[in-house]
Every structure is written in C-alpha cells, then in structure tokens.
C-alpha cells in the first residue's frame, strides 16, 4: 500500500515536473525573440526574467531527482554481487587490496538495489579515505538464520570512541571538506529496509562497519 502510494506519487511528481519544463522553454524562447526587438531599455527586466526561469528549472530538476528516488522499484538481488560490483569499481581507481571473504556464496535480499549499492559505495568510500595505498579493505559476509551481515573492514587510521558515537549523525564529519551526509543516508536506507548498521574498531587496526539485513 505505502509502496504503491509512493510509486504513484513519485510518478505524478516526475510527470508534473516534466510538463512544466516544456512550456517554460517556450516562454524563454519567446522572451528571447521579444528581446531582439528591444533597444536595451528593458535589459534589466529581461535579465530578471531569465534569472527566474533558471531558478524554476533548478527546482524542477531537483523535484525530478526526488521523484526518481521514490519510484525505484523493490527487487530481489544477491547482496554479494552488489558488494563485488562496488569493490570492482573502486579497485580500478584506488591502490588498495580489496578482499572478499564470503562464508556464504549466495544470499538474496529484497530491496531497492540502487540504494543498497549506494550504501556500500559510501562505506567503501569512507574506507578508502581512511587508508593508504597497500592497506586492505575487506568484505566478510556471514549468514545467520534469516539475517545476513556484511562487514567492511579497513586497516586505516581508525576511529575514536567519540566518532563511533557520532558517525551517522547528519553533518557530522571529521574530514576536511567532508559533508557528513554519507553514513546518515546509509543508516536511513538500511533502516527503511529493516536492517541496521554498526560501526566499530577493527583489530589490530582500522575501522569496521557492519550492515545487517534480513534475507528474503
Ligand atoms: N572507515 C572509516 N575510518 C575512519 N573513520 C570513519 C570511517 N568511516 C566513517 N568514519 C568517520 O565517520 C564520519 C562520518 O562519515 P560520513 O560518511 O557520514 O561523512 P564524511 O565521509 O565525513 O562525509 P561525506 O558526506 O562526504 O561522506 C567521518 O567523517 C569519519 O570521521
Ligand atoms: Mg563518507
């Protein structure tokens, strides 16, 4: 019920946003034509019109992005494949040792795959940012009864007790230029999927983040 409602709402929002863009483009083109006949006396007014048209366009683009997120469908997929995909992507860019140590070969979960992928992408990105070349970033996948636990550990600079407490709070970041949004989003997505995220210290060094999800 909620799922369908969200989907319809998302589609309506996307349609609405799209349908405003077209007439807006026509308005802009016509204003540009009128400006050709102007001797420059109305320059400021034309600028104000273009400025506001651009503002409306930005708002529409944002609304469309939100709508897109709302209508991503729930599917069943292999969590191990998602982790592998993220590791493949990052191992092509960064010189780290990416290791997958999966106890179970196959675990299917149900959810919005793109969102779950972005969760692991954020966690791996944090691990990359906390490590240096030749450090190890490892995924361990364990199945217990109807739950799957994916732990991403790194051998990086580690995390303090205080940061363990606060990581995942919106805008909490200890990085220069960090926005502190990554783990907040991860927690929200996993929460909505009926799972949870735990952050802790890795032994002998580094950080580990465990994502626990229900198996389908
Ligand atoms: N693997 C890790 N090792 C050490 N510290 C970590 C690790 N992962 C998260 N943290 C800590 O948690 C904080 C919050 O992480 P989060 O991903 O939410 O924000 P961020 O990485 O700082 O910014 P961004 O919004 O760009 O992701 C980080 O600033 C860092 O202090
Ligand atoms: Mg981050």
């Amino acid at each position: 019920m909620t799922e369908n409602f969200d989907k319809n709402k998302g589609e309506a929002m996307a349609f609405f946003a799209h349908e405003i863009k077209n007439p807006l483009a026509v308005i802009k083109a016509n204003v540009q034509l009128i400006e050709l006949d102007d001797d420059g006396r109305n320059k400021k007014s034309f600028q104000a019109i273009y400025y506001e048209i651009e503002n409306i366009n930005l708002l529409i683009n944002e609304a469309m992005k939100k709508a897109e997120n709302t209508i991503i469908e729930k599917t069943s997929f292999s969590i191990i494949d998602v982790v592998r995909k993220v590791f493949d992507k990052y191992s092509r860019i960064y010189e780290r040792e990416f290791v997958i140590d999966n106890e179970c070969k196959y675990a299917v979960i149900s959810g919005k795959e793109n969102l779950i992928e972005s969760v692991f992408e954020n966690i791996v990105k944090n691990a990359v940012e906390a490590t240096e070349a030749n450090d190890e970033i490892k995924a361990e996948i364990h199945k217990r009864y109807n739950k799957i636990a994916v732990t991403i550990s790194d051998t990086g600079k580690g995390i303090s007790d205080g940061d363990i407490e606060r990581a995942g709070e919106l805008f909490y970041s200890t990085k220069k230029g960090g926005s502190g949004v990554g783990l907040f989003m991860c927690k929200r997505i996993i929460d909505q999927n009926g799972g949870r995220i735990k952050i802790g210290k890795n032994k002998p060094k580094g950080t580990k983040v465990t994502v626990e999800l229900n198996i389908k």
Side-chain angles (χ1 to χ4, degrees):
M1 169 69 189
T2 327
E3 192 69 20
N4 260 342
F5 176 69
D6 277 358
K7 189 168 178 249
N8 292 340
K9 214 169 66 174
E11 280 172 355
M13 206 154 87
F15 179 74
F16 187 61
H18 186 253
E19 291 312 292
I20 296 175
K21 275 195 114 165
N22 292 339
L24 199 63
V26 176
I27 291 172
K28 186 177 173 185
N30 277 289
V31 175
Q32 281 168 333
L33 282 177
I34 297 168
E35 193 186 9
L36 289 178
D37 290 333
D38 187 63
D39 56 8
R41 263 188 312 162
N42 298 302
K43 195 169 176 222
K44 282 213 159 123
S45 299
F46 282 112
Q47 275 174 346
I49 294 170
Y50 295 137
Y51 179 77
E52 295 304 340
I53 288 177
E54 227 23 71
N55 264 344
I56 297 172
N57 259 324
L58 286 175
L59 282 174
I60 295 169
N61 286 344
E62 243 173 53
M64 282 175 90
K65 239 188 261 161
K66 269 201 195 127
E68 202 181 297
N69 281 340
T70 318
I71 57 182
I72 297 173
E73 305 258 6
K74 252 189 172 184
T75 53
S76 295
F77 55 90
S78 153
I79 191 77
I80 296 153
D81 287 349
V82 171
V83 174
R84 196 169 288 130
K85 192 170 158 192
V86 175
F87 269 22
D88 281 349
K89 196 170 1 177
Y90 276 79
S91 62
R92 260 180 267 132
I93 320 174
Y94 298 103
E95 248 181 80
R96 309 284 188 275
E97 240 179 277
F98 288 90
V99 182
I100 297 190
D101 182 358
N102 51 329
E103 186 189 68
C104 59
K105 294 271 172 267
Y106 193 69
V108 170
I109 68 153
S110 161
K112 297 179 177 180
E113 189 172 350
N114 288 7
L115 295 185
I116 301 286
E117 187 181 323
S118 78
V119 166
F120 285 103
E121 192 148 350
N122 268 294
I123 294 171
V124 173
K125 184 170 155 272
N126 280 342
V128 165
E129 286 164 354
T131 49
E132 290 172 4
N134 300 324
D135 265 320
E136 187 183 80
I137 298 175
K138 184 157 89 179
E140 279 165 278
I141 302 161
H142 296 288
K143 202 156 130 183
R144 278 184 218 107
Y145 305 106
N146 62 339
K147 287 195 194 310
I148 184 127
V150 183
T151 301
I152 309 289
S153 58
D154 67 64
T155 54
K157 65 185 173 86
I159 187 164
S160 69
D161 290 332
D163 289 342
I164 289 177
E165 282 281 315
R166 298 201 61 189
E169 258 177 41
L170 185 57
F171 304 135
Y172 183 76
S173 175
T174 57
K175 292 173 198 170
K176 213 171 150 198
S179 58
V181 174
L183 280 178
F184 174 80
M185 286 305 295
C186 294
K187 283 195 163 169
R188 237 173 85 163
I189 292 168
I190 296 300
D191 217 50
Q192 280 168 0
N193 230 77
R196 60 183 181 149
I197 295 188
K198 284 187 290 187
I199 302 164
K201 295 184 191 212
N202 186 37
K203 278 181 197 150
K205 111 187 232 284
T207 305
K208 62 177 181 181
V209 179
T210 300
V211 178
E212 214 175 81
L213 286 161
N214 294 319
I215 294 173
K216 204 183 159 232

